[in-house]
Amino acid sequence: MRFRILLLLLCSPVAMAFEPSVLQGQWAALQQREGATDRYFFLTVNADMSGVLVRTRGENTITRRFDAGDSRSRQAYLEADLPNDETVILWAWQQNNGVRRVNGLLFEEGRQEPVRNMLPVPLEYLGAQHELRQNPRIDQWARQHPYRDQAADDS
């Protein structure tokens, strides 16, 4: 019984910790794999919950944009519909030391597996001095897809 209560106490802050504003900003990950092509992930989530997800598959770069209307905040995550009948589910949390983390699942159309693709490593928040900004690909995507702290102007 004590173990269950301890588990509940430890898990409760994580489940309740999702705050959409924690997800806002630019995020990236580089997974270096021995004997295989490196995998890159880049994500921008704007203040209005629109954004872009860029990822690599082999030598191909796949860019998917989503509008605020494509995003739905759920109790513990953000769900966004992407072009080509893909869906991304993102969850974010902030650690006690202030470090923000994000992870997610990406469901791709046309693949046979039930969970068709998974962001395999937590994405890191790209602050102005983050070492991933030194990577030419990630730096290019960060400049190409800047964070917007207000809704895009349609005029």
Side-chain angles (χ1 to χ4, degrees):
M1 183 66 166
R2 287 183 186 167
F3 176 74
R4 288 183 184 167
I5 292 171
L6 178 62
L7 184 61
L8 181 62
L9 289 173
L10 290 174
C11 292
S12 294
V14 173
M16 302 304 282
F18 179 74
E19 171 60 39
S21 64
V22 174
L23 189 57
Q24 295 172 9
Q26 292 184 313
W27 304 83
L30 169 57
Q31 183 184 34
Q32 296 177 313
R33 305 180 305 167
E34 190 172 323
T37 306
D38 293 345
R39 295 180 71 184
Y40 291 85
F41 298 92
F42 175 81
L43 173 69
T44 296
V45 178
N46 298 309
D48 66 353
M49 293 293 125
S50 66
V52 63
L53 173 64
V54 181
R55 66 190 189 279
T56 60
R57 182 184 298 139
E59 296 301 319
N60 298 324
T61 300
I62 302 164
T63 303
R64 300 288 191 250
R65 296 177 189 280
F66 53 95
D67 294 324
D70 298 327
S71 301
R72 293 167 299 288
S73 288
R74 304 295 190 198
Q75 184 174 355
Y77 60 91
L78 179 79
E79 180 180 340
D81 296 325
L82 305 176
N84 297 347
D85 295 321
E86 296 176 347
T87 301
V88 66
I89 296 174
L90 302 166
W91 58 94
W93 65 96
Q94 188 163 354
Q95 298 172 332
N96 290 339
N97 63 1
V99 173
R100 297 191 286 166
R101 299 282 186 211
V102 68
N103 209 339
L105 297 172
L106 174 66
F107 297 90
E108 296 177 292
E109 184 61 27
R111 302 281 301 264
Q112 295 302 317
E113 301 85 18
V115 176
R116 295 171 184 96
N117 192 7
M118 184 175 181
L119 300 179
V121 292
L123 299 174
E124 297 182 39
Y125 181 73
L126 287 181
Q129 302 301 318
H130 195 285
E131 67 186 39
L132 284 174
R133 286 198 179 269
Q134 302 303 314
N135 182 285
R137 280 181 125 164
I138 293 173
D139 180 60
Q140 175 190 351
W141 295 331
R143 286 184 282 110
Q144 193 174 7
H145 308 290
Y147 169 74
R148 294 188 320 265
D149 61 359
Q150 12 185 328
D153 187 4
D154 293 331
S155 54

